[in-house]
Amino acid sequence: MTVSIEHPIETPPRAPSPVHGFGTLAVHAGAPHDPTTGAVIEPISLSTTFAQTAVGKPVGQYEYSRSSNPNRDNFEKAVAALENAKYAVAFSSGSAATATILQSLAQGSHVISVSDVYGGTHRYFTRVAKAHGVTVTFTPQIEVDIAEHIRDNTKLIWIESPSNPTLRLVDIRAVTSAAHARGVMVVVDNTFLSPYIQNPLDHGADIVVHSVTKYINGHSDVVMGIAAFNSEELRERLTFLQNACGAVPSAFDSWLAHRGVKTLHLRAKQSNANATAVADALENSCHVISVNYPGSDTHPHRHIALRQHRDGMGGGMLSFRIKGGRAAAERFCQLTKIFTLAESLGGIESLVELPSAMTHAGIPRDQREAVGVFDDLVRVSCGIEEPEDLVYDIEQALEKAVRETAHESNGVSNGVNGHAA
């Protein structure tokens, strides 16, 4: 049963347009000089508790670090500024941010999600949220059939754009317009692009979430998450749940992530340039079946990238299907010399992985393949190395992987589902 248009919601007013450019904000937002020493980089505040002059009267604004901490506060201010948001709440991981948002829904609530979603998010939606009475409907074409899926109890729509790992794009404005007309909030996971390339709140989303572990921190040494938004009511609800559940990042991790975000614009530009070069090489390779990269003119949603992304950038992530099936895909990941075979993404170093056996292994095969996650799909995260070195590494690994596996399998093809026919 669909909801009648009786309780539409309005997109909360966005934060004032920034006076300075992105790079200036990245360096200076949430970064006051220390008033005592004049230090231009904030000190790490490791104290778990803070003195009070009288009962219930702390010296400053802090009482206990689970509730708030100077490093966390400053990092949140920085990300809020970069996402054109009024507020941001940092969590101990991206998964903790997801869980807290879902926990904010009442029992019996219904959520609509894109089908090709991060494996950890899919796991939470299908195995954890259900346990506390929240059900999730997955759809591969959310802009097309959103109205058909909204029910009386639908409270939230979850979007990844680009999606993980097939790099499909969603028209955020189209979804938010339809959702808000029915009184439903929209969350966009912006991890794959970072605030530098896309700002979902500007397109009507209510909440934007990130795995800070990825592009925002950018150095593969922090596990964190963050949610940014413009609603005071959301801020109160999420900070209450966070404090109650304890899903908070450490002061040191907050300091590291704040350090990392200061160079986000520089890293994102280089990763984008590298991914563009790698995608071009893959599209021209006889060893590749197909390439998923939003920065390419061959991408089916290129028109959305041109509208939603800064300068039409495609970002630093891509995926492709290799000839030779899973055997060739696995061998390719073993043969790269600069790209490291590892999960995660968005760091300064380039990575490759096999989603069907790694990040998305927990999703049933038929569901994976229905959205294009075949056994021969390789996901690539381009770091900030030199593009010609990355292209050479990709090409030499492709050549060897396809040749070796073709010899071993006597030429058996991929088959329709990315495994041997």
Side-chain angles (χ1 to χ4, degrees):
M1 177 180 177
T2 57
V3 182
S4 59
I5 307 177
E6 296 177 353
H7 304 288
I9 61 175
E10 295 182 1
T11 302
R14 56 165 285 177
S17 296
V19 175
H20 302 293
F22 190 97
T24 304
L25 285 174
V27 172
H28 295 288
H33 296 166
D34 186 272
T36 302
T37 66
V40 297
I41 298 297
E42 64 175 325
I44 304 173
S45 182
L46 295 175
S47 182
T48 57
T49 192
F50 300 85
Q52 303 189 18
T53 57
V55 175
K57 294 183 178 180
V59 172
Q61 65 184 95
Y62 302 103
E63 298 179 22
Y64 188 62
S65 272
R66 175 163 47 80
S67 301
S68 59
N69 171 277
N71 298 114
R72 195 164 96 221
D73 283 0
N74 286 337
F75 173 65
E76 290 170 345
K77 291 174 183 175
V79 174
L82 298 179
E83 278 289 12
N84 299 328
K86 292 181 180 177
Y87 312 105
V89 179
F91 294 86
S92 51
S93 68
S95 295
T98 299
T100 304
I101 291 169
L102 268 289
Q103 287 168 4
S104 73
L105 303 178
Q107 186 175 15
S109 294
H110 174 243
V111 174
I112 302 170
S113 171
V114 292
S115 295
D116 45 341
V117 71
Y118 166 56
T121 302
H122 186 277
R123 179 172 58 244
Y124 189 90
F125 284 173
T126 57
R127 301 180 64 180
V128 182
K130 184 169 63 174
H132 59 84
V134 174
T135 57
V136 181
T137 297
F138 295 96
T139 173
Q141 300 184 80
I142 200 164
E143 303 105 315
V144 176
D145 57 13
I146 181 174
E148 300 173 16
H149 293 296
I150 294 180
R151 310 171 186 169
D152 289 330
N153 61 335
T154 302
K155 302 299 180 184
L156 196 70
I157 292 173
W158 192 279
I159 296 171
E160 282 187 13
S161 186
S163 63
N164 182 1
T166 58
L167 283 298
R168 297 180 182 180
L169 303 185
V170 174
D171 186 332
I172 298 171
R173 178 64 68 181
V175 172
T176 56
S177 296
H180 288 175
R182 303 296 183 90
V184 180
M185 290 199 309
V186 176
V187 178
V188 177
D189 186 335
N190 198 29
T191 297
F192 259 38
L193 288 182
S194 87
Y196 180 70
I197 296 179
Q198 178 175 262
N199 297 122
L201 300 184
D202 289 352
H203 299 283
D206 299 281
I207 305 175
V208 54
V209 297
H210 291 271
S211 171
V212 171
T213 310
K214 314 306 192 294
Y215 282 106
I216 289 180
N217 177 63
H219 292 78
S220 300
D221 53 11
V222 165
V223 173
M224 275 181 68
I226 200 161
F229 40 85
N230 288 315
S231 166
E232 172 66 21
E233 188 273 333
L234 272 175
R235 187 190 71 81
E236 292 178 0
R237 194 189 326 169
L238 295 180
T239 53
F240 173 82
L241 283 169
Q242 179 190 44
N243 189 53
C245 297
V248 299
S250 72
F252 185 48
D253 282 353
S254 297
W255 184 89
L256 283 173
H258 197 176
R259 176 212 60 181
V261 80
K262 292 176 187 295
T263 59
L264 172 60
H265 55 300
L266 304 176
R267 293 183 284 103
K269 289 176 186 177
Q270 186 63 41
S271 293
N272 179 85
N274 287 348
T276 301
V278 169
D280 288 345
L282 290 169
E283 289 185 333
N284 289 311
S285 173
C286 62
H287 302 306
V288 172
I289 298 171
S290 60
V291 180
N292 304 312
Y293 182 57
S296 172
D297 289 338
T298 61
H299 192 280
H301 302 145
R302 179 63 181 151
H303 62 287
I304 297 178
L306 291 170
R307 185 169 62 251
Q308 284 183 181
H309 302 177
R310 180 189 296 270
D311 300 328
M313 289 180 169
M317 297 296 300
L318 59 97
S319 60
F320 70 95
R321 294 184 64 189
I322 186 173
K323 292 182 179 179
R326 176 167 177 167
E330 289 191 10
R331 190 68 184 127
F332 169 84
C333 292
Q334 295 170 330
L335 287 168
T336 55
K337 301 180 185 305
I338 297 175
F339 288 85
T340 299
L341 173 57
E343 296 188 4
S344 200
L345 59 105
I348 54 174
E349 69 291 320
S350 293
L351 305 175
V352 291
E353 66 109 2
L354 206 62
S356 63
M358 296 171 69
T359 53
H360 292 66
I363 301 175
R365 184 175 193 160
D366 60 333
Q367 295 180 31
R368 280 193 287 105
E369 294 184 345
V371 293
V373 185
F374 299 114
D375 287 350
D376 58 6
L377 185 77
V378 177
R379 193 184 77 178
V380 180
S381 173
C382 292
I384 63 171
E385 302 94 338
E386 295 299 330
E388 56 269 22
D389 293 331
L390 297 183
V391 168
Y392 179 80
D393 194 31
I394 288 283
E395 290 177 337
Q396 66 84 21
L398 274 174
E399 180 69 30
K400 293 177 182 176
V402 173
R403 184 178 68 247
E404 290 178 13
T405 52
H407 176 73
E408 294 169 3
S409 62
N410 294 316
V412 175
S413 68
N414 290 58
V416 294
N417 292 322
H419 44 85

